[in-house]
Amino acid sequence: MSTSKNWPRLESEILACMPTAPGDPVASGQIIAAVRARFPLNPPSRHTIQRALENLEIEALVGKRGTSRDRVWWRTGKQAPSELARRPPLELAIALLTLRRHAPNHLPGHVIQGLEAYFAGAERVLSESPTDPSLGDARAWANKTVRVHAGYPLVSPPIHGDILNAIRKALYTSRVLDVAYQNSRLDTDAPDSYQVVPLGLVERGPVLYLVASRQRRDGTFKIYQLRLDRFASAACTETPGVPDPNFDLNAYVRDDQSFSFLPEGQIQLELRVREEDGYRHLFREQWLATDQVIIDEPGGFRLKATVTLSIALRNLLMERSARVEVLSPATLRDEIAEGLRQAIGRYEANAVDGA
């Protein structure tokens, strides 16, 4: 389905030539004559107008009955999209389709729904002329950018669409959310039910989280980090929520590093990094902190930085332990060493059992 490039407003002109009352019929010949009269210098052909009418029928904006010259058409009453939605400029079309591809979880559900006509218009613009080189470049753009997560590509856990929509609605309208949530503990299968006020959505790797709060009796707020795939149910209520007035999502994620999991405050970290395979180590180019200092030494370098001690930091150091040695603080060095000893013990035990 495409709008004619020579008459970009053709569908809008057709609708303007039809009775405004839904169901009020008008003959094909009358529509064609009226539309052609609107373009006295370069009128579209009968076939072009008929094709545009069929496009409008596909969009459920008009209905028809009869055949050939006896055919009549009428408006259905469905709201026609704006001209900008029907035919966005090329640059906007590229931006719209990139938005739909890369950020579907970062917009309220009703906004996504409201943009559907714009998405359809963007696809229509990009599909108009297979031989137009500018459109060819625009169509190719979709396959020239991609987002990948750091580390091994884990499969995103499924999220029920109704749950996601309820959460986005409550977040957008600042309403209380009724939740039934299954935590990660192994000793229970029963979800907990309670109410929270959504504060923000955070996409971390393949997992989508809801940050929410609940006010305690003393007036303070408890903050929750809830994985959307662990929701058994979610319902947006009509009750206005009372969010934590001091909460800042950016500070919570970036400054407090709450999504590093169980942050314990800052430490002065010193590492010895080995570069024995002839390649620069990741930590030379992707720093652990803005105050990172590298001191070159034979076979690699020592690294000093102020970092937040957390589960994410421990996992990173364990993951890189073949090339990265913790020098200080001593407690973290001992903790990493003990984790490696446990891992070695399991591998050696399995090797003995297999023998």
Side-chain angles (χ1 to χ4, degrees), residues 275-292:
E275 295 175 308
E276 299 166 347
D277 50 6
Y279 293 95
R280 291 184 180 88
H281 193 274
L282 172 74
F283 291 165
R284 279 194 185 271
E285 298 164 341
Q286 298 184 34
W287 286 20
L288 297 178
T290 56
D291 67 349
Q292 177 170 305

Side-chain angles (χ1 to χ4, degrees), residues 70-269:
D70 295 329
R71 180 171 294 161
V72 295
W73 300 83
W74 61 86
R75 290 188 186 226
T76 62
K78 179 181 177 181
Q79 184 69 32
S82 69
E83 193 60 32
L84 180 63
R86 291 187 58 81
R87 189 182 173 81
L90 181 58
E91 294 79 6
L92 179 57
I94 296 171
L96 284 165
L97 296 181
T98 302
L99 172 69
R100 184 177 66 175
R101 183 181 182 192
H102 290 296
N105 293 326
H106 295 264
L107 292 173
H110 73 279
V111 173
I112 293 266
Q113 185 177 6
L115 287 173
E116 288 298 336
Y118 288 84
F119 295 147
E123 291 180 338
R124 187 181 303 119
V125 166
L126 294 187
S127 65
E128 278 186 343
S129 175
T131 59
D132 188 330
S134 64
L135 290 180
D137 292 341
R139 282 191 290 267
W141 182 254
N143 295 319
K144 292 183 176 180
T145 66
V146 68
R147 176 190 294 174
V148 296
H149 300 302
Y152 188 85
L154 300 175
V155 177
S156 298
I159 301 170
H160 196 284
D162 290 342
I163 290 175
L164 177 59
N165 287 334
I167 290 171
R168 290 193 296 202
K169 181 179 179 181
L171 175 61
Y172 185 80
T173 58
S174 297
R175 303 277 182 175
V176 171
L177 185 72
D178 280 331
V179 306
Y181 186 78
Q182 175 67 60
N183 61 38
S184 60
R185 293 181 61 88
L186 296 175
D187 57 2
T188 178
D189 292 326
D192 294 325
S193 297
Y194 46 88
Q195 292 185 324
V196 295
V197 178
L199 300 173
L201 285 172
V202 177
E203 193 170 3
R204 187 180 189 273
V207 179
L208 192 60
Y209 290 86
L210 172 69
V211 182
S213 68
R214 183 164 60 170
Q215 191 171 23
R216 300 184 179 96
R217 291 183 179 180
D218 62 3
T220 61
F221 291 85
K222 180 179 179 179
I223 303 297
Y224 294 81
Q225 290 179 197
L226 307 173
R227 276 178 45 169
L228 266 64
D229 59 287
R230 290 181 178 160
F231 276 77
S233 66
C236 176
T237 71
E238 296 300 318
T239 306
V242 181
D244 183 349
N246 299 317
F247 182 82
D248 183 310
L249 183 62
N250 285 320
Y252 180 78
V253 173
R254 294 186 172 88
D255 298 340
D256 301 341
Q257 292 196 25
S258 296
F259 277 85
S260 292
F261 299 110
L262 302 180
E264 302 174 34
Q266 293 193 322
I267 60 171
Q268 299 300 313
L269 179 67

Side-chain angles (χ1 to χ4, degrees), residues 322-337:
R323 295 286 185 272
V324 177
E325 175 188 359
V326 178
L327 300 179
S328 68
T331 52
L332 181 59
R333 176 183 174 88
D334 292 343
E335 184 180 339
I336 297 297

